[in-house]
Amino acid sequence: MPSSQNWNTVAYNGTVFAAISGGPGASTSTAFAYSTNGSTWTGVTVTSGRWNTLTAGGGMFITASWDGVTLLSTNGSTWTSGGNLPGSWQTNISYGNGVFVVHGLYSALAAYSTNNGTTWTSGITSITSGLSTITYGSSYFVGLQSGSSTVYFSQKDRKSTRLNSSHE
């Protein structure tokens, strides 16, 4: 990877690795790179922006910017515009069971896509402030609320991404 960047996120889509620099709070445009072996990396020029998060799922990559814009790629080298998110300050994307979920750290807004990021639907209205992370496993999306002990989780085996809270 080019050493002039602070790389912070990497994902694998089953064929190729993709990485972005910058991340939440980055003050400059983010750099992209891809690799077929994890050792040799090739830099990629993409639309300028503050891209903060990257995930892979369903054979593709999706990244989101602070401005509520997404980019999509199947190979890590060619990126195209995805659907616009219904908000900004998105900091994390997760994939599971054919659904991509994106959320913001500084707001209660989250959205989901069931068509590989081409359209996004507002969701997860039960969150009272932002999530610091979200992941998928065992048929559930699970997120942690920033600065608290609240855990949010989706209903099992549902495309809906409405999350319920738990304080344990």
Side-chain angles (χ1 to χ4, degrees):
M1 289 185 173
S3 61
S4 61
Q5 299 293 324
N6 293 318
W7 299 94
N8 72 331
T9 303
V10 64
Y12 182 70
N13 74 353
T15 306
V16 65
F17 296 93
I20 61 173
S21 68
S27 60
T28 60
S29 295
T30 309
F32 286 59
Y34 71 95
S35 172
T36 57
N37 60 16
S39 176
T40 304
W41 291 83
T42 303
V44 178
T45 301
V46 299
T47 304
S48 66
R50 290 170 48 193
W51 305 99
N52 347 307
T53 184
L54 171 71
T55 197
M60 66 182 313
F61 298 104
I62 296 182
T63 185
S65 77
W66 279 118
D67 303 319
V69 177
T70 61
L71 292 179
L72 315 172
S73 178
T74 57
N75 59 17
S77 64
T78 303
W79 293 83
T80 59
S81 293
N84 289 333
L85 297 167
S88 57
W89 300 93
Q90 306 303 324
T91 56
N92 203 326
I93 300 177
S94 186
Y95 174 84
N97 196 28
V99 178
F100 286 93
V101 174
V102 62
H103 70 84
L105 178 60
Y106 302 113
S107 72
L109 179 67
Y112 66 95
S113 174
T114 58
N115 61 1
N116 289 332
T118 57
T119 58
W120 293 86
T121 303
S122 293
I124 314 180
T125 56
S126 60
I127 298 173
T128 56
S129 69
L131 298 177
S132 57
T133 188
I134 193 166
T135 192
Y136 181 84
S138 295
S139 301
Y140 295 94
F141 284 97
V142 176
L144 300 177
Q145 189 171 30
S146 181
S148 80
S149 60
T150 302
V151 175
Y152 287 89
F153 56 94
S154 66
Q155 295 178 358
K156 187 173 182 173
D157 296 325
R158 292 202 41 205
K159 295 285 184 183
S160 169
T161 55
R162 180 166 173 79
L163 300 183
N164 304 298
S165 65
S166 169
H167 303 275
E168 289 193 48

